[in-house]
Amino acid sequence: MERKRIVIIGGGFAGLNLARKLAKSDCEIILVDKQNHHMFQPLFYQVASARLEPSNISFPFRAIFRRRKNVIFRYATVNRIRPDDQVIETSMGELWYDELVIATGCKTNFFGDPDLEKYTMAMKSTQQTIHIRNTILTKFEKIMFVSNQQEKDELMNLVIVGAGPTGVELSGALVEMKTKVLPKDYPHYDFSKLKIILLEGSPNTLNSMSDKSRIWSRRYLEKMGVEVRTSTVVSSYDGHNLALKTGEIIPTQTVIWAAGVQGNVLPGLEKATMVRGRYTVDRYSLVQGYGNIYAIGDISYMETEKYPQGHPQLANVAINQGKRLAKNLRARWSGDQMQPFEYKDKGTMATVGKHKAVVELPNFKFQGYFAWMVWMVLHLMLILSIRNKIAVFFNWAWRYITGDTSLRLILRDERDRELTRRND
């Protein structure tokens, strides 16, 4: 009997867990991704705020599957799916499949505004995260030599749009940098007027969590010095002035966009039903309209009795969908009964700063120091390799003791430097 060929597009939490579980089966697995590494996105904000190096939370696919000879990695971009031919077209040529799994995740949603996409910074990939770090650190170096008051005002305002977990955690990290790091790095310059501004269109921070977590997260942020503005919608941005729907203008050269996501949809699946930019799937992750194409993770939309509006786009959902699909594929190949996916909510959490976090478990909600410790332990457990766990733990411990990380490297290509100079 010929070995099944399973092509997985995307090596995020969903695709990686599917590949790892299927690697023990007698099938050929081809993992295709436009990055050569898996990224632990929940800690991207720590790379952006110079707390961790990218290598601490990135894992090369070839190293992950080094001992699995039936797993082949292809560093390529998928251009189109041809379901009738059971082929995907990539930047490295065509690949045929018996079963296709789409796990492409999501990307930043700029809501169709080309200026927001051009001038703001997203944080959905390692490269984008490093770009944010480089940009912020460069602005700190630049501000000491600026005499024009308008430009100084622009440099003194760091704006984060979107008060979900990403926005809240990044705001907290940046305000801690302002109060604990910058006075030591720049003893001859006064950064007290530097503003960390968090904008949110809904009435609350952490809008997807409970009222208690919303209240505490905002209270933490404001006590730390973050300027939190809820029920505030961005109208436009030109790289220098951020316009709000109210007519107010915030001068700023640094805007980080964390206000929404949309699915990374691939061309070719015209029969598929889409809901809010996600492929509609059944309880077995099969894309509606196709017999051998699946979608898991953030790109999939699955309605269940518990989740009639689809599952939340969380890492834990993606991990469990990947594991369940692996079990179901093996069951189908062996003639056993498949089990429908059922997500058991294990809770959500977000950290705001040192000793400040909110945690919501199914039957228990808490905040403060203990929540902060739980957040750190659980995130450390989810990191893949022992080497990376040790590296992250060491950096966290060093920062806890000293209040510093000494990771503030500006790594920019000379061509990037020249382009920035011309744009300025």
Side-chain angles (χ1 to χ4, degrees), residues 210 212 344-348 359-366:
S210 68
K212 190 175 183 180
K344 295 180 180 179
D345 185 9
K346 296 182 179 179
T348 55
V359 173
E360 294 188 358
L361 302 178
N363 301 309
F364 186 38
K365 299 177 178 64
F366 54 101

Side-chain angles (χ1 to χ4, degrees), residues 49 136 140 153-162 166-180 182 191-199 221-229 242 250-252 254-256 352:
S49 56
I136 291 174
F140 293 156
D153 291 342
E154 293 175 8
L155 292 169
M156 274 295 192
N157 292 329
L158 303 184
V159 181
I160 299 98
V161 182
T166 299
V168 165
E169 291 172 347
L170 183 58
S171 298
L174 290 177
V175 79
E176 285 187 337
M177 179 186 286
K178 168 192 170 180
T179 57
K180 298 178 181 179
L182 296 185
F191 275 96
S192 62
K193 293 183 179 179
L194 179 70
K195 291 183 179 180
I196 313 300
I197 304 171
L198 178 61
L199 306 180
L221 288 168
E222 292 179 336
K223 188 175 181 180
M224 293 168 68
V226 177
E227 185 177 323
V228 181
R229 302 193 195 182
L242 185 72
I250 300 175
T252 178
T254 309
V255 178
I256 300 167
V352 182

Side-chain angles (χ1 to χ4, degrees), residues 199-229:
L199 306 180
E200 168 59 37
S202 73
N204 307 289
T205 57
L206 299 180
N207 200 50
S208 62
M209 298 181 75
S210 68
D211 289 340
K212 190 175 183 180
S213 294
R214 296 169 185 171
I215 293 169
W216 275 99
S217 61
R218 180 164 190 162
R219 185 178 299 174
Y220 283 144
L221 288 168
E222 292 179 336
K223 188 175 181 180
M224 293 168 68
V226 177
E227 185 177 323
V228 181
R229 302 193 195 182

Side-chain angles (χ1 to χ4, degrees), residues 17 51 58 213 227 254 265 272 301 310 319 327 338 387:
N17 278 275
R51 296 184 176 194
S58 303
S213 294
E227 185 177 323
T254 309
V265 178
Y301 177 83
I319 290 169
K327 291 178 181 178
M338 297 191 298
R387 184 193 72 82

